[in-house]
Amino acid sequence: MTAKIFIKPIRTENIESFHQALDKVARERKYLAFLQSPPLEEVREFVLSNIEQGNPHLIASIEGEVVGWCDIRRHHLQSHAHRGTLGIGIVPEFRGNGLGTRLIELAIECATETGFSRIEFDVRADNFRAIALYEKTGFVKEGVLRNAVLVDGEFFDVVVMALVLQSD
Ligand SMILES: CC(C)(COP(=O)(O)OP(=O)(O)OC[C@H]1O[C@@H](n2cnc3c(N)ncnc32)[C@H](O)[C@@H]1OP(=O)(O)O)[C@@H](O)C(=O)NCCC(=O)NCCS
């Protein structure tokens, strides 16, 4: 029987496993802004501040191991505090099965409930799967930052995307 994947808010006991998943995706050197995870203590601070501030920070876990995440971090400036920066990743073995869709849809729901009115990020222009996921869930391309990423001697454009949440 295949073990079930649970999606739930991150807790302190998940931090080490989250750090490992983050490091695994970062080391692919294709998707995230960092090429390896920040040190565990920095990641711990990031998670604890998300928990403390009530920022959406979901994990997908299977038998206690984090295999994916989606977080939305509130902007620190007062006049920008309606904005959140989204980060998402799934370890390679669990991609392409709808997990990203489940994570992002739930994170958007949490962000709406906690009063965000804009969710934003940038994504490498050659990350077609991520862009397909974002467009499917309502995000819109707002512009392109040309040659914004340089990895292993190669430049990549980056697309700025955002979702403006309706407040009625
Ligand atoms: C981007 C990512 C989060 C998407 O999650 P996922 O679980 O793989 O995606 P899903 O299975 O939910 O598919 C979402 C959409 O992507 C598209 N898609 C899926 N597989 C694809 C593929 N191999 N190539 C292109 N598009 C694809 C489809 O449009 C799909 O929607 P549909 O199934 O309704 O048609 C995940 O692949 C990932 O972690 N990638 C590496 C890290 C990353 O890129 N993070 C984002 C940085 S900005």
Side-chain angles (χ1 to χ4, degrees), residues 25 32 67-70 87-91 95 103:
V25 178
L32 305 186
V67 297
W69 73 89
C70 184
I88 186 168
I90 294 170
V91 299
R95 290 179 194 154
L103 275 166

Side-chain angles (χ1 to χ4, degrees), residues 28-57:
E28 292 180 81
R29 304 173 76 80
K30 287 193 276 193
Y31 304 116
L32 305 186
F34 31 69
L35 303 179
Q36 63 183 65
S37 170
L40 177 60
E41 284 319 304
E42 238 173 80
V43 171
R44 190 184 306 282
E45 261 177 50
F46 173 75
V47 173
L48 292 178
S49 81
N50 276 341
I51 293 173
E52 194 184 295
Q53 289 177 37
N55 290 331
H57 191 151

Side-chain angles (χ1 to χ4, degrees), residues 4-131:
K4 195 168 161 42
I5 301 180
F6 291 97
I7 295 184
K8 55 190 179 184
I10 195 165
R11 294 160 57 122
T12 51
E13 59 265 34
N14 307 121
I15 291 174
E16 286 185 20
S17 186
F18 167 61
H19 177 250
Q20 282 166 10
L22 187 62
D23 194 50
K24 197 168 183 181
V25 178
R27 283 178 190 274
E28 292 180 81
R29 304 173 76 80
K30 287 193 276 193
Y31 304 116
L32 305 186
F34 31 69
L35 303 179
Q36 63 183 65
S37 170
L40 177 60
E41 284 319 304
E42 238 173 80
V43 171
R44 190 184 306 282
E45 261 177 50
F46 173 75
V47 173
L48 292 178
S49 81
N50 276 341
I51 293 173
E52 194 184 295
Q53 289 177 37
N55 290 331
H57 191 151
L58 304 172
I59 52 163
S61 77
I62 184 160
E63 293 176 333
E65 185 191 341
V66 174
V67 297
W69 73 89
C70 184
D71 58 81
I72 301 177
R73 185 159 185 80
R74 197 177 280 283
H75 203 291
H76 64 283
L77 294 175
Q78 199 180 351
S79 62
H80 294 184
H82 59 291
R83 293 163 54 177
T85 304
L86 179 140
I88 186 168
I90 294 170
V91 299
E93 313 84 277
F94 291 91
R95 290 179 194 154
N97 286 312
L99 191 53
T101 305
R102 284 170 62 200
L103 275 166
I104 202 167
E105 283 179 344
L106 195 55
I108 293 170
E109 217 176 288
C110 296
T112 307
E113 279 165 13
T114 46
F116 284 87
S117 49
R118 177 182 158 93
I119 305 172
E120 61 195 13
F121 51 81
D122 50 50
V123 51
R124 245 171 72 166
D126 63 341
N127 192 347
F128 302 114
R129 177 159 44 195
I131 292 172

